[in-house]
Amino acid sequence: GESVGLHLPTLSVQEGDNSIINCAYSNSASDYFIWYKQESGKGPQFIIDIRSNMDKRQGQRVTVLLNKTVKHLSLQIAATQPGDSAVYFCAETPTSGTYKYIFGTGTRLKVLA
Amino acid sequence: SQTIHQWPATLVQPVGSPLSLECTVEGTSNPNLYWYRQAAGRGLQLLFYSVGIGQISSEVPQNLSASRPQDRQFILSSKKLLLSDSGFYLCAWSVLGGARDTQYFGPGTRLTVL
């Protein structure tokens, strides 16, 4: 079936370094992609999104890259801080007509002091 | 701005007891509403979604039910809890018909069934 997955279940990064979290998706018709951050015991928090007509979008310290050719999505966090420690997961949604997201299981980001 | 509330935050219930989890959204009208369950170390499983009052779609056959008695209120219920109902329950909302239909999540309810 269609799925969204993550390459690395755990990523450890030194404080101040850049982090890159990856996500592969299998539905070539997916139109919209989102990255969420989930801290322990809390609900997922929206970080950044991107439509399929774009290949890059930047926010505050975060950048999402979309490569439709290889169906790959990545989240880059610049100057990683201790507060960035969390589970990050991606979600995709097909084109209009459905309310269903397909979620990845998540990558745990650990920031080392 | 929009906010979403869930209560209770944590709940410990015996097997066979009933369940009622509540979710309310403020600052928006006619939202899509969703119930998800997140098992430990696993991804989000969509349980129910609703596009309007009284309109509920069930995604997974299970021991749970959902209701939407008001535009911004979504309730998750069970008549008799099972051990397998334990998990982290998340409510989410999105703007109806929005081109991007971004889902925003509530703080969650941690349910432990003993």
Side-chain angles (χ1 to χ4, degrees):
Chain A
E2 296 164 346
S3 64
V4 173
L6 296 174
H7 297 310
L8 299 174
T10 303
L11 176 66
S12 296
V13 175
Q14 206 67 34
E15 181 179 356
D17 288 352
N18 297 335
S19 302
I20 300 176
I21 301 171
N22 298 302
C23 179
Y25 65 95
S26 57
N27 185 351
S28 58
S30 286
D31 181 55
Y32 178 51
F33 304 87
I34 306 168
W35 279 103
Y36 289 95
K37 171 187 179 183
Q38 187 174 23
E39 296 176 86
S40 181
K42 298 184 178 180
Q45 175 187 359
F46 171 89
I47 301 175
I48 193 167
D49 58 1
I50 189 168
R51 293 294 304 259
S52 60
N53 61 352
M54 302 173 68
D55 53 19
K56 180 180 180 179
R57 191 156 188 244
Q58 288 184 294
Q60 194 173 30
R61 281 201 308 119
V62 294
T63 300
V64 54
L65 299 177
L66 176 63
N67 186 331
K68 293 181 287 294
T69 302
V70 295
K71 291 184 284 187
H72 184 266
L73 188 71
S74 68
L75 176 70
Q76 300 179 3
I77 304 173
T80 310
Q81 303 169 359
D84 295 327
S85 293
V87 173
Y88 292 80
F89 58 91
C90 60
E92 65 174 303
T93 181
T95 48
S96 61
T98 178
Y99 303 97
K100 299 181 184 180
Y101 278 19
I102 301 171
F103 292 95
T105 54
T107 292
R108 182 172 301 280
L109 176 65
K110 292 185 178 180
V111 181
L112 308 174
Chain B
S1 63
Q2 299 87 0
T3 55
I4 179 169
H5 304 279
Q6 288 186 245
W7 65 90
T10 60
L11 189 61
V12 180
Q13 290 284 93
V15 169
S17 64
L19 172 74
S20 181
L21 303 181
E22 190 164 342
C23 169
T24 58
V25 181
E26 296 177 357
T28 188
S29 296
N30 200 22
N32 292 339
L33 295 172
Y34 310 81
W35 277 113
Y36 289 90
R37 177 168 55 207
Q38 186 176 39
R42 301 185 67 180
L44 291 165
Q45 179 187 32
L46 179 63
L47 302 176
F48 301 95
Y49 71 90
S50 171
V51 300
I53 296 173
Q55 302 180 62
I56 309 294
S57 295
S58 175
E59 290 297 303
V60 182
Q62 61 210 323
N63 185 43
L64 303 168
S65 62
S67 62
R68 185 170 177 174
Q70 300 181 43
D71 181 44
R72 289 170 286 181
Q73 183 184 31
F74 205 22
I75 297 172
L76 184 69
S77 303
S78 174
K79 292 183 179 179
K80 289 185 177 182
L81 283 169
L82 306 172
L83 287 174
S84 58
D85 291 325
S86 293
F88 192 47
Y89 288 84
L90 290 158
C91 182
W93 68 272
S94 67
V95 174
L96 181 65
R100 300 198 316 200
D101 202 32
T102 305
Q103 293 185 22
Y104 298 94
F105 289 87
T109 295
R110 173 74 59 191
L111 172 66
T112 303
V113 182
L114 301 175

